[in-house]
Amino acid sequence: MKILDWRQVDLLERGLNISTQRNALIASNVANVDTPGYKSQDLAFTQVLDGETNRLALRRTDPRHLPAETGAGAGNEVVESTAPARADGNNVNIEDEMIKLSQNTMDYNISVQLLAKRLNSLKSVVTSPK
Amino acid sequence: MRYDAVFNVSGSGLKAQMLRMEVVSSNIANVNATRTPEGGPYRRREVVFETVPVQNGFENALLHSTAASLKGVEVSRVTEDASPFLRKYEPNHPDAGPDGYVLYPNVNIVAEMVNLQEASRAYEANLSVITSVKSMIAKTFEIGR
């Protein structure tokens, strides 16, 4: 592993950005839980992920090696939910939103922790040999 | 990345739900009000929610490409319920008509209590979004630690 390889840090940073954007959309959905005609919004993840996995794929010396899983990319396409709407045209499900919220906060915390660990290991490389 | 959009959005949700609770409390308080300054009994009031775009500066629009999709909420107007008043036979009441019937407000106390619960749950939901954003911000400071 190259210690000065910033791709991982970039990736984690983008993960944080995505979590923040997604969090804002969840906030918008929760605020509009009673607004007639409002449709629940979220980020389109899968399409973004497909594009990114090719670009950031781990190099394999043997095709029989297991492929590495990569994190989400920097996509920010907002999509409206097509879930069936209530009588007032609103399709926000508060339970779903709350689950998404805790999921998203967890994702964010994981990214922060990984980023902190990565930067800490870099720091220990720089400072340890006296 | 800016967090103030979330606070604006969830804050608008809190305000809107609070206004709804105020309207509900006005309905409950006036459940027996047979007289109003406009004449006649009290009419039940209802809030109408409407989405509003989040107030974002130019800078925010640049940094935050999902900002355009973010919608706050506001109570666009408070409407009066046009359903008929309740009629009770009380000939001794000062507001009784010539037939002895008194018109009471078209407030259904059970419906109002349900409305109140709904508003308070929605308020709590907005509040937990704010709490989670706060925890995310606090967590961010661990990056440099």
Side-chain angles (χ1 to χ4, degrees), chain B residues 29-140:
Chain B
N30 286 294
V31 66
N32 287 321
T34 53
R35 267 182 225 183
T36 54
E38 304 88 50
Y42 174 86
R43 259 194 194 285
R44 178 177 171 264
R45 282 165 175 76
E46 244 176 336
V47 291
V48 179
F49 288 120
E50 202 179 293
T51 58
V52 279
V54 184
Q55 299 297 317
N56 271 313
F58 177 65
E59 177 200 13
N60 216 3
L62 273 180
L63 290 172
H64 202 176
S65 43
T66 45
S69 320
L70 297 182
K71 300 275 190 291
V73 67
E74 67 170 14
V75 172
S76 60
R77 63 207 152 95
V78 178
T79 55
E80 290 195 346
D81 186 346
S83 64
F85 291 123
L86 220 66
R87 280 161 54 87
K88 280 187 194 167
Y89 185 68
E90 283 173 12
N92 296 325
H93 195 286
D95 290 326
D99 55 354
Y101 277 96
V102 183
L103 290 178
Y104 275 96
N106 51 353
V107 175
N108 179 346
I109 201 87
V110 178
E112 296 306 326
M113 292 313 287
V114 171
N115 212 341
L116 187 68
Q117 281 296 315
E118 226 177 271
S120 109
R121 291 288 169 263
Y123 189 91
E124 282 168 24
N126 278 295
L127 212 54
S128 50
V129 174
I130 293 177
T131 314
S132 87
V133 176
K134 276 162 68 183
S135 84
M136 280 165 74
I137 295 172
K139 192 79 185 169
T140 312

Side-chain angles (χ1 to χ4, degrees), chain A residues 43-56:
Chain A
L43 287 176
F45 271 108
T46 47
Q47 299 161 11
V48 178
L49 206 67
D50 288 345
E52 291 294 327
T53 35
N54 293 329
R55 213 170 66 73
L56 290 160

Side-chain angles (χ1 to χ4, degrees), chain A residues 37-39 81-92:
Chain A
Y38 181 86
K39 297 283 184 286
S81 160
T82 50
R86 304 192 301 252
D88 61 356
N90 185 313
N91 69 355
V92 176

